[in-house]
Amino acid sequence: MRKVFALLATLLVLVLAVQFFLAASGAFDTAPNDESFQQHRGLGYGIVLFAILLTIFAALARMPGRLIGMTGLVAGLGVGQSLIRGIAAAFNDTGDTSTTAGTLVFGLHGVNGLIMLAVAAAVARRARALSRSAVADRPAGVAQPAS
Ligand code: HEM
């Protein structure tokens, strides 16, 4: 179970990197945001769901509480991405024109994305170390328990 968790945690980091890729390509796209950020928005919600399921899996795999908490934090920060967008949009002027306040608030969306990436990377690193030590700690000749 620990090895599977380590693999999934590493996958989460890769998916977050793709999210940045989609953000950059969306920013370059001249189509309206609704269109140009569609994939980014879709993957953004997918990341939240993935992080929630991974948190449940971490608990089932009896990972250390700190690691379960950090995985849950990635999910919470992901929900925060929508909240930040909602708050930024609330500052929009009539005709949905962005304001300085809204754009400043939305800047936090990028920063929060970096924090999500850093936390997910720490989870993956720790999980890999734990799954390696689980292998190393097993006395020679003792079969690997069903993982
Ligand atoms: C880990 C990184 C990121 C995650 C998880 C993420 C997640 C999300 C989510 C969930 C939404 C949909 C919000 C909603 O409408 O409820 C969204 C929208 C958006 N994101 Fe990100 N985001 C990330 C990074 C970035 C970055 C770096 C940029 C900078 C270019 C960015 C730009 C946007 C924009 C412009 C929208 C709004 C699109 C619209 O008008 O509907 N995101 N993001």
Side-chain angles (χ1 to χ4, degrees), residues 10-54:
T10 306
L11 179 63
L12 178 60
V13 174
L14 296 177
V15 172
L16 283 166
V18 172
Q19 184 66 343
F20 277 91
F21 171 88
L22 291 176
S25 64
F28 189 75
D29 191 336
T30 53
N33 262 9
D34 284 358
E35 211 181 303
S36 57
F37 279 89
Q38 202 167 12
Q39 292 161 321
H40 176 81
R41 207 176 304 119
L43 185 61
Y45 298 143
I47 286 168
V48 173
L49 182 63
F50 183 21
I52 291 170
L53 294 174
L54 195 57

